[in-house]
């Protein structure tokens, strides 16, 4: 069975590219890559582009890109999606070039996100390694991918069916603090506790939040200090998630959705993993900034 290897990139539609460039480099610690009048690529590692900012008044997620190992695996995955009644389109060379990948297919998920499947990501030349004067350790990427994101929509069963039964993401577990609220966490075979979580909740945006992991907990603290010093709204101060075992904080991006900066997320061993339901999002912390 063909499987997604990791979450390779996100495409975000943002109304204020200028504010985003400052936020991305000075607060989060990303590096600016290629850019033109309407696009800015953000780097976290040796990929040319991990996050593509596209000038767009939606201030929401546009697309998520999932890496397949090679062209044969990509073709097999697409056939599998089609066999599961998903309408999949081959992306043209213009789309592949914009996403900085060799080959690409895409489909629409039930929450308005264009889910993209690709192989052959373009790497930056070795003479241009990732560089940030904000990050003391490094972003945890490589085979773990870029981090995770949380698209939300009105129908949880429809979302679960699409992400798990059709896209083939594996169930990591649930957090359900009340009968009306359930968040579903999913992973790919690299084992990072989650690459995508979803929920049915009232939200003006499809993207509830996105998240990146740093190797050292100190880098979570440094980022939190930078956010507070810059007057960025910290929507959840430092805290600990009982399911992913990560320590993180959340802050508002210039687009209004949150970014979570985390460290220490567990890696799942699928052979011995059992999905569990937690009743709280945080053991401690994650309180709104007062
Ligand atoms: Fe998160």
């Amino acid at each position: 069975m063909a499987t997604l290897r990791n979450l390779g990139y996100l495409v975000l539609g943002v109304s204020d590219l200028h504010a985003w460039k400052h936020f991305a480099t000075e607060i989060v610690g990303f590096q600016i890559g290629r850019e033109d009048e309407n696009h800015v690529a953000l780097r976290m590692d040796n990929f040319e582009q991990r996050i593509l900012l596209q000038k767009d008044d939606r201030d929401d997620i546009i697309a998520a890109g999932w890496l397949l190992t090679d062209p044969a695996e990509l073709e097999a995955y697409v056939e599998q999606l089609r066999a599961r009644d998903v309408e999949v389109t081959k992306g043209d060379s213009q789309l592949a070039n914009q996403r900085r990948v060799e080959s690409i297919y895409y489909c629409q998920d039930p929450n308005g996100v264009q889910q993209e499947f690709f192989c052959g990501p373009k790497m930056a030349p070795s003479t241009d390694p990732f560089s940030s004067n904000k990050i003391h350790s490094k972003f945890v990427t490589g085979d773990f991918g870029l981090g995770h994101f949380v698209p939300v929509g009105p129908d949880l069963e429809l979302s679960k069916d699409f992400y798990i039964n059709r896209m083939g993401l594996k169930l990591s577990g649930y957090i359900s603090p009340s009968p009306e609220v359930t968040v579903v966490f999913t992973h790919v075979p690299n084992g990072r506790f989650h690459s995508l979580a979803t929920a049915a909740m009232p939200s003006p945006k499809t993207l509830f939040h996105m998240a990146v992991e740093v190797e050292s907990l100190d880098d979570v603290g440094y980022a939190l200090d930078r956010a507070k010093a810059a007057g960025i709204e910290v929507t959840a101060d430092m805290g600990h998630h009982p399911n992913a075992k990560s320590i993180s904080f959340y802050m508002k991006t210039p687009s209004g959705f949150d970014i979570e900066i985390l460290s220490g997320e567990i890696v799942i061993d699928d052979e011995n993993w059992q999905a569990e339901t937690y009743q709280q999002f945080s053991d401690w912390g994650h309180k709104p900034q007062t």
Side-chain angles (χ1 to χ4, degrees):
M1 186 179 292
T3 48
L4 301 173
R5 189 158 151 186
N6 62 52
L7 175 65
Y9 62 79
L10 292 176
V11 182
L12 305 175
V14 310
S15 58
D16 190 341
L17 277 175
H18 182 73
W20 256 98
K21 280 175 70 172
H22 182 268
F23 176 80
T25 53
E26 301 305 310
I27 309 299
V28 181
F30 293 141
Q31 181 185 353
I32 303 291
R34 295 158 54 96
E35 57 182 316
D36 63 30
E37 202 182 333
N38 293 313
H39 301 89
V40 175
L42 302 178
R43 290 183 56 194
M44 304 168 64
D45 55 14
N46 58 349
F47 270 46
E48 255 194 43
Q49 173 171 294
R50 280 291 190 181
I51 296 165
L52 178 62
L53 303 175
Q54 184 173 311
K55 190 156 175 45
D56 188 304
D57 285 338
R58 273 178 279 183
D59 278 314
D60 205 347
I61 186 167
I62 291 177
W66 300 87
L67 175 72
L68 280 297
T69 299
D70 56 36
E73 186 78 355
L74 177 58
E75 297 296 331
Y77 182 78
V78 168
E79 282 315 303
Q80 194 170 282
L81 277 179
R82 286 175 174 154
R84 293 169 179 174
D85 294 328
V86 179
E87 194 178 321
V88 191
T89 306
K90 184 166 175 52
D92 59 16
S93 56
Q94 192 184 350
L95 183 67
N97 186 51
Q98 189 192 61
R99 302 296 198 250
R100 310 308 292 154
V101 300
E102 201 58 43
S103 185
I104 185 169
Y105 287 83
Y106 61 89
C107 68
Q108 307 302 322
D109 84 7
N111 299 317
V113 181
Q114 180 159 295
Q115 299 287 347
E116 301 180 349
F117 313 103
F118 70 94
C119 64
K122 301 254 188 281
M123 297 294 158
S126 55
T127 49
D128 183 21
F130 173 73
S131 153
S132 163
N133 62 4
K134 303 297 179 206
I135 300 297
H136 298 244
S137 59
K138 62 177 189 173
F139 288 108
V140 179
T141 56
D143 202 37
F144 289 119
L146 87 78
H148 69 256
F149 71 113
V150 183
V152 299
D155 188 332
L156 185 62
E157 288 311 310
L158 200 61
S159 294
K160 270 175 69 178
D161 176 64
F162 192 84
Y163 297 134
I164 295 175
N165 299 337
R166 294 170 204 269
M167 279 178 60
L169 301 177
K170 294 170 188 291
L171 180 67
S172 307
Y174 302 96
I175 294 183
S176 186
S178 68
E180 307 80 54
V181 178
T182 298
V183 181
V184 181
F185 296 79
T186 66
H187 65 279
V188 286
N190 62 36
R192 172 175 249 163
F193 178 78
H194 66 315
S195 291
L196 181 153
T198 188
M201 61 172 73
S203 168
K205 297 178 190 299
T206 295
L207 185 59
F208 188 64
H209 73 263
M210 59 165 290
V212 292
E213 181 168 6
V214 284
E215 193 174 71
S216 159
L217 181 58
D218 286 334
D219 271 322
V220 179
Y222 286 127
L224 181 55
D225 274 0
R226 290 194 296 273
K228 287 180 175 175
I232 306 283
E233 184 183 343
V234 173
T235 43
D237 218 323
M238 193 86 90
H240 182 261
H241 287 302
N243 57 346
K245 317 289 186 225
S246 52
I247 291 178
S248 67
F249 80 94
Y250 296 70
M251 61 181 156
K252 275 239 180 311
T253 67
S255 287
F257 54 76
D258 283 358
I259 186 168
E260 177 185 15
I261 311 293
L262 67 102
S263 191
E265 178 157 329
I266 55 169
V267 174
I268 288 175
D269 162 17
D270 265 319
E271 295 279 296
N272 300 301
W273 184 251
Q274 184 181 314
E276 294 172 334
T277 301
Y278 288 80
Q279 295 183 56
Q280 50 184 177
F281 287 106
S282 310
D283 297 309
W284 54 264
H286 286 148
K287 303 285 190 293
Q289 192 183 9
T290 50

